Amino acid sequence: MKVCQVCKKKECIKLIDFGEHPVCHKFTDGKEKEEKHSLALGQCNCCGLVQLMSPIPVDKLIPRYDWITYNEPEEHLDHLVNVIRNLPNITKKSKVCGVSYKEDTTLARLNNLGFENTWRIDMNKDLGISDKKANLESIQHYLKPGIVNSIHDKYGIPDLIIVRHILEHTHDTHSFMLALKKLVNPSGYIIFEVPDCTEGFEKFDYTTIWEEHILYFTDLTFKNCLNSGGFLLHHFEKYNYSFESVLIGIVKPDDNKNTFKNFNIEKNILDREIVRVQNFTEQLVKKQDSIKKFLKDFKQNHDNIVIFGTGHAACMFINLLGIKDLIDFAIDDNHKKKGFFTPGSKLPIHSSDALTKNKTNLCLLGLSSESEKKIIIKHKSFEENGGIFASIYPTSKYAIQV
């Protein structure tokens, strides 16, 4: 057992060891030896939070290339800014702070609504991160209570802080939350947004796992985490997406909250959290067998099988299910990836014109829901000529039928 990252109880047990894997953005030339790291999933028997047992050190997560970025779903942001503009005591004169580049589009929306006092933490100038390739792994590491005063001196005290898709990356979750608690106006708000892993666990979607996500939240564990950070939940909602929904928690600092208070979760609720993830881990072998059978059967009578997309979801799908020998190559229209090979599986990466040039019959889709729709429309001729699109996501309308 290890100490839980949030409730701090030594109740976190290992559920499954996925073995050793490379970091998903460490593209190679196909020949070099890859550095691999342990990937094991555990769950706290006290608070139910799912988490990595041995997170990869921050310095090992820094990308090799400065063009590595992470895109999050944004269809809900118009709704979110409407929630923001109606928060008590938040006006167009309020100071609004974004923590990373993921907040840029939200801040732009607020600017369009007349919020002029917005700013974003600068990785280099505010956090002292000099590596231009650094990303979220470094932001969460360097945003600590000790830097709060210098940020206040430069920008003033923010009335609202927006933190999209970083909390799940935190190695020291309490230190990160404490920094934000000290940074915000005591009467202000912090908006946390994280991916909802509930359906991923229930649908046995193994693309849910990613070495950069330390924490895997559900409604219950997300609320518990915010509570443990000394926050009072003002507003909570789930915004549903086809593949992975998002959880939004708008909180206020609450000095009456004991950061390490005991969690008193009803047994039936905690049992439901535990059973859900146990089923997820126990079904891995069955999922591996069914996907392998589907691909092998298809390959007997057809030519190439490819995967469109080389992000972490596609990488995990191939590596965790052990299907690299059944896929001929990967496709990505980011021209900077062309000529590289995918981490772990070492599949050559081509541009999308390879769909027709290489007699491809089956194209697995490892893309976001928005990109999946665009690609299917863009490459309509692929289907018209007998090609088949099949999504790696079990909730997609194009999901692999096994």
Side-chain angles (χ1 to χ4, degrees):
M1 288 192 182
K2 77 159 194 168
V3 175
C4 174
Q5 190 132 320
V6 167
C7 76
K8 298 299 180 181
K9 301 295 184 182
K10 196 174 182 179
E11 294 283 347
C12 188
I13 62 170
K14 182 190 294 186
L15 293 179
I16 186 169
D17 190 337
F18 293 106
E20 293 194 334
H21 295 272
V23 174
C24 287
H25 56 59
K26 302 273 182 162
F27 299 100
T28 72
D29 62 6
K31 298 178 182 179
E32 63 186 283
K33 184 178 180 179
E34 294 180 299
E35 183 176 5
K36 296 186 177 182
H37 308 270
S38 172
L39 185 65
L41 199 67
Q43 184 174 30
C44 178
N45 280 333
C46 180
C47 70
L49 179 64
V50 179
Q51 55 206 279
L52 294 187
M53 296 298 289
S54 300
I56 300 173
V58 171
D59 63 316
K60 301 294 185 181
L61 292 173
I62 297 175
R64 292 178 173 179
Y65 315 104
D66 59 9
W67 41 264
I68 298 292
T69 57
Y70 307 125
N71 299 314
E72 307 299 346
E74 297 196 344
E75 291 176 7
H76 66 289
L77 291 186
D78 288 335
H79 166 71
L80 180 60
V81 295
N82 280 326
V83 173
I84 291 172
R85 68 195 297 195
N86 289 303
L87 289 173
N89 301 318
I90 293 296
T91 69
K92 293 180 179 179
K93 294 182 179 180
S94 298
K95 296 183 178 68
V96 183
C97 164
V99 170
S100 80
Y101 64 86
K102 291 191 176 185
E103 279 73 79
D104 287 350
T105 52
T106 311
L107 296 178
R109 283 172 168 82
L110 289 171
N111 293 154
N112 290 335
L113 291 174
F115 287 77
E116 297 181 354
N117 201 350
T118 64
W119 51 277
R120 173 161 66 83
I121 292 175
D122 186 287
M123 285 201 300
N124 177 240
K125 296 177 181 178
D126 300 328
L127 301 181
I129 301 171
S130 58
D131 191 335
K132 293 182 179 180
K133 299 186 293 296
N135 211 299
L136 300 179
E137 79 294 321
S138 299
I139 294 174
Q140 64 84 25
H141 180 67
Y142 285 96
L143 185 52
K144 296 180 178 180
I147 58 92
V148 168
N149 289 339
S150 63
I151 294 179
H152 283 168
D153 291 342
K154 185 181 294 187
Y155 302 103
I157 301 175
D159 302 298
L160 173 68
I161 301 176
I162 305 172
V163 195
R164 297 188 65 225
H165 295 262
I166 302 181
L167 189 65
E168 65 272 20
H169 291 258
T170 53
H171 286 64
D172 187 340
T173 308
H174 281 282
S175 177
F176 181 76
M177 290 192 293
L178 181 58
L180 293 170
K181 186 177 179 181
K182 289 180 176 293
L183 185 61
V184 75
N185 186 318
S187 62
Y189 303 87
I190 301 174
I191 299 177
F192 288 98
E193 180 180 305
V194 301
D196 176 22
C197 299
T198 307
E199 192 167 35
F201 292 143
E202 291 177 346
K203 300 290 186 181
F204 312 129
D205 182 358
Y206 296 93
T207 68
T208 302
I209 307 304
W210 182 27
E211 75 278 347
E212 291 201 45
H213 279 184
I214 314 301
L215 310 176
Y216 296 81
F217 292 111
T218 63
D219 292 26
L220 174 70
T221 57
F222 179 48
K223 292 175 182 177
N224 283 343
C225 181
L226 299 177
N227 179 278
S228 75
F231 297 112
L232 181 66
L233 188 62
H234 173 81
H235 175 86
F236 171 83
E237 65 178 286
K238 177 189 295 189
Y239 196 94
N240 293 315
Y241 279 98
S242 301
F243 297 170
E244 185 179 69
S245 299
V246 295
L247 302 175
I248 299 171
I250 303 180
V251 298
K252 296 176 70 68
D254 185 359
D255 289 333
N256 293 322
K257 292 288 183 183
N258 182 349
T259 300
F260 301 107
K261 68 179 291 187
N262 291 327
F263 288 96
N264 296 310
I265 303 172
E266 292 182 21
K267 186 178 184 304
N268 64 317
I269 296 176
L270 182 59
D271 287 346
R272 188 162 61 243
E273 293 286 323
I274 291 173
V275 169
R276 178 194 295 126
V277 183
Q278 285 178 341
N279 290 339
F280 174 78
T281 58
E282 291 169 358
Q283 288 294 315
L284 176 60
V285 173
K286 182 178 179 181
K287 183 68 174 277
Q288 289 171 330
D289 291 343
S290 62
I291 294 295
K292 286 178 182 176
K293 184 179 186 305
F294 169 80
L295 296 177
K296 286 178 180 177
D297 289 348
F298 190 93
K299 215 166 179 63
Q300 286 181 353
N301 302 305
H302 299 86
D303 294 311
N304 291 322
I305 297 176
V306 305
I307 188 162
F308 205 127
T310 59
H312 69 84
C315 184
M316 282 295 166
F317 183 79
I318 297 168
N319 293 340
L320 293 188
L321 298 185
I323 57 174
K324 66 178 182 179
D325 295 333
L326 296 170
I327 300 177
D328 295 280
F329 58 90
I331 292 176
D332 201 303
D333 279 335
N334 181 343
H335 70 278
K336 292 182 178 178
K337 293 183 180 180
K338 188 176 180 180
F340 283 105
F341 291 74
T342 55
S345 54
K346 295 187 178 180
L347 299 174
I349 302 174
H350 300 293
S351 57
S352 57
D353 57 7
L355 265 178
T356 53
K357 287 182 179 180
N358 295 72
K359 296 183 179 179
T360 301
N361 298 108
L362 175 63
C363 180
L364 303 177
L365 297 170
L367 305 160
S368 67
S369 57
E370 296 92 338
S371 296
E372 185 177 275
K373 296 172 188 175
K374 293 177 182 177
I375 291 301
I376 289 174
I377 293 172
K378 182 179 179 180
H379 296 281
K380 186 178 180 181
S381 61
F382 172 71
E383 287 187 301
E384 291 175 343
N385 292 324
I388 298 173
F389 284 117
S391 178
I392 67 174
Y393 297 98
T395 53
S396 169
K397 63 183 290 187
Y398 301 98
I400 297 172
Q401 299 300 313
V402 294

